[in-house]
Amino acid sequence: MSIDALRDALPAYAKDLSLNLSSLASETVLSDPQKWGCFLACAFAVGEPQTVRALEAEASAHLSSEAMTAAKSAAAIMGMNNIYYRALHLMHNAEYKTLPARLRMNILANPGAPKAEYELWCTAVSAINGCGACIDAHEKTLREHDVTSVQVQASLRIAAVVNAVAHVLRAEAVLTA
């Protein structure tokens, strides 16, 4: 399945999502590894089967196998971290922020992709998962690696569209089940 097949799977009422998928796929603000890693990480973060299959197939034409694995690991580790750190951020008892997380996060030290790319993917996944603390932390690291606001915004736009596509396809699947 390709990104065009994913676009074709969207109902007429989601035409804007289809158009946004197309424009983001041809976006030049991000390098191909940045862009397709972001698409792949976001697809794995939302976990909707058609979205995952289409974006993994499309990303495989643009990413090395190491980068593919790294993008998937960004979704995996952020799936854990976003819940944990969002909870700490929301809790009124500040004591929890002083306790060690005691969660393995070894992948962050050597993700298998350049640091700036990996951080960009983690930022996008953190947006999908709604963790402001993680978004801020990753965005700060991105700025230290000279990633521009426009590039960060592009990753957030990818996250928003992939998330919306997955929600529409999941809802449509309910109607045909």
Side-chain angles (χ1 to χ4, degrees):
M1 178 180 247
S2 69
I3 202 163
D4 289 332
L6 185 61
R7 292 179 62 219
D8 290 343
L10 291 168
Y13 67 82
K15 182 177 182 178
D16 287 331
L17 301 181
S18 174
L19 294 172
N20 286 328
L21 268 176
S22 180
S23 65
L24 288 167
S26 59
E27 177 76 65
T28 59
V29 171
L30 299 174
S31 69
D32 274 354
Q34 290 171 327
K35 174 174 56 182
W36 291 106
C38 195
F39 269 114
L40 185 58
C42 290
F44 271 75
V46 297
E48 191 281 320
Q50 281 183 270
T51 305
V52 171
R53 282 191 297 272
L55 294 178
E56 183 177 46
E58 197 73 38
S60 69
H62 303 277
L63 297 173
S64 68
S65 62
E66 295 82 10
M68 296 273 294
T69 299
K72 293 173 187 179
S73 78
I77 197 75
M78 290 303 104
M80 176 184 69
N81 285 358
N82 293 156
I83 297 301
Y84 181 78
Y85 289 106
R86 183 175 63 208
L88 293 184
H89 178 73
L90 293 172
M91 294 176 81
H92 293 289
N93 185 343
E95 178 185 0
Y96 293 101
K97 293 177 185 169
T98 67
L99 301 173
R102 297 183 63 180
L103 295 170
R104 291 196 183 273
M105 300 177 229
N106 296 335
I107 192 70
L108 297 176
N110 188 16
K115 182 74 169 164
E117 287 176 14
Y118 195 76
E119 291 289 328
L120 196 65
W121 307 338
C122 289
T123 302
V125 171
S126 295
I128 288 172
N129 293 336
C131 183
C134 291
I135 293 169
D136 283 342
H138 293 289
E139 191 271 344
K140 180 179 183 240
T141 302
L142 286 168
R143 300 307 291 235
E144 292 167 358
H145 284 85
D146 298 322
V147 175
T148 69
S149 296
V150 174
Q151 290 172 306
V152 173
Q153 180 198 34
S155 76
L156 298 175
R157 290 170 51 224
I158 289 170
V161 172
V162 170
N163 185 62
V165 165
H167 280 279
V168 167
L169 294 175
R170 195 174 285 116
E172 287 293 318
V174 169
L175 298 176
T176 60

